[in-house]
Amino acid sequence: MDRRELEIKQIVERLGLRVVSLKRPRSGHYKVVITNGKEDKLVIFPCSASDYRWTLNKKSQLKNLFHV
């Protein structure tokens, strides 16, 4: 597991959610299926983020998707 995968899992778990699957196809983005126990959703994470605020933006997106 690389550093980015670990970082993605930590972000998700801190919000009380769970990673179902995490894949990195050739596109360079991680395709992550996340669940809150009731529903699963596919969320795309960057492989190499160009903006240092990507973690804050992704947390906000996850909160809106799952109403956390």
Side-chain angles (χ1 to χ4, degrees):
M1 179 181 304
D2 66 6
R3 184 178 61 92
R4 181 70 69 192
E5 289 179 16
L6 183 61
E7 194 172 14
I8 290 169
K9 286 187 176 190
Q10 288 175 346
I11 290 169
V12 171
E13 290 172 358
R14 286 182 186 150
L15 293 173
L17 304 170
R18 189 172 56 90
V19 173
V20 176
S21 71
L22 190 143
K23 297 178 184 176
R24 182 179 174 206
R26 291 184 172 186
S27 68
H29 289 77
Y30 289 97
K31 294 185 179 183
V32 184
V33 177
I34 299 173
T35 186
N36 63 357
K38 298 177 184 174
E39 58 184 336
D40 298 349
K41 296 193 178 187
L42 175 68
V43 181
I44 307 297
F45 282 80
C47 178
S48 62
S50 60
D51 187 7
Y52 68 95
R53 296 171 302 200
W54 79 269
T55 55
L56 297 174
N57 295 336
K58 197 51 73 172
K59 285 178 191 177
S60 177
Q61 179 188 17
L62 291 173
K63 286 178 182 179
N64 288 331
L65 278 174
F66 289 101
H67 305 292
V68 177

